[in-house]
């Protein structure tokens, strides 16, 4: 990521806005409804983001992500990568182009290289490799915080989908910034 300070600030704000909108929409759900991705969205901590469609997070792999072997469940890696790679589209979003929630998953391929012990802190790096009008491909890597151990990698293909009307109604302060930037 080689962005100016203002570009980096914009990219991080774009990603943070997606989390804010997610929380706003999740809070409107009935109390008995717990979304499958909630644990991930509540615990991803943004480290950096770039205008090139890159984002880096830290995440604590809590017991909620475990299997009976006391390591991260493969399905947990799936939802972690789904959300962490999707958010890499936020800095490149434009009106009508990869807006909120970045479309839908076409394929999500994960290569598991090493087991992630429970109560480990990991770093997740995501980078948009290609984004066209209808399809995007994002790569992700989950490593130890020092980068010395690669736990797993992902290749995430997305299909762009229109933002749902009920999601557009949930406006944030960020939406005014977004509109000003792209309606110049």
């Amino acid at each position: 990521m080689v962005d100016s300070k203002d570009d980096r600030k914009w990219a991080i704000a774009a990603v943070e806005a997606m989390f804010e909108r997610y929380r706003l929409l999740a809070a409107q759900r009935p109390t008995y409804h717990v979304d499958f991705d909630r644990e991930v969205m509540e615990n991803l901590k943004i480290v950096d983001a770039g205008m090139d469609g890159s984002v880096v997070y830290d995440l604590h792999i809590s017991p909620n992500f475990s299997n009976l072997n006391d390591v991260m469940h493969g399905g947990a890696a799936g939802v972690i990568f789904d959300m962490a790679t999707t958010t890499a589209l936020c800095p490149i979003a434009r009106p009508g182009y990869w807006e909120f929630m970045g479309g839908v998953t076409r394929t999500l391929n994960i290569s598991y290289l090493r087991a992630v012990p429970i109560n480990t802190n990991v770093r997740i790096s995501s980078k948009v490799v290609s984004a066209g009008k209808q399809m995007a491909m994002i790569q992700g890597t989950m490593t130890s915080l020092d980068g010395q151990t690669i736990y797993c990698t992902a290749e995430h293909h997305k299909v762009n989908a229109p933002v749902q009307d009920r999601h557009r109604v949930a406006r944030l302060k960020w939406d005014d910034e977004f509109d000003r930037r792209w309606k110049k």
Side-chain angles (χ1 to χ4, degrees), residues 51-55 85-86 88-89 92 97-98 125-132 135-141 154-158:
M51 294 297 289
D52 59 350
S54 55
V55 64
T85 55
T86 294
L89 290 161
I92 68 166
Y97 181 80
W98 297 106
S125 301
S126 301
K127 172 81 170 78
V128 175
V129 175
S130 176
M135 303 247 224
M137 197 270 272
I138 309 112
Q139 291 180 330
T141 306
E155 184 174 281
H156 192 180
H157 293 255
K158 304 277 298 189

Side-chain angles (χ1 to χ4, degrees), residues 8-79:
R8 182 175 172 272
K9 185 177 173 183
W10 173 267
I12 290 170
V15 174
E16 288 173 339
M18 206 280 279
F19 281 84
E20 185 180 349
R21 187 179 321 276
Y22 177 93
R23 286 189 294 273
L24 179 66
L25 292 167
Q28 295 172 7
R29 297 269 213 194
T31 54
Y32 63 83
H33 188 107
V34 178
D35 293 300
F36 186 67
D37 50 13
R38 178 186 53 82
E39 181 88 11
V40 175
M41 295 302 284
E42 287 180 0
N43 292 295
L44 279 174
K45 305 294 182 221
I46 190 167
V47 173
D48 202 3
M51 294 297 289
D52 59 350
S54 55
V55 64
V56 178
Y57 296 102
D58 286 348
L59 177 67
H60 179 74
I61 304 300
S62 71
N64 291 341
F65 294 124
S66 72
N67 62 22
L68 290 176
N69 294 324
D70 291 324
V71 296
M72 181 182 67
H73 191 286
V79 73

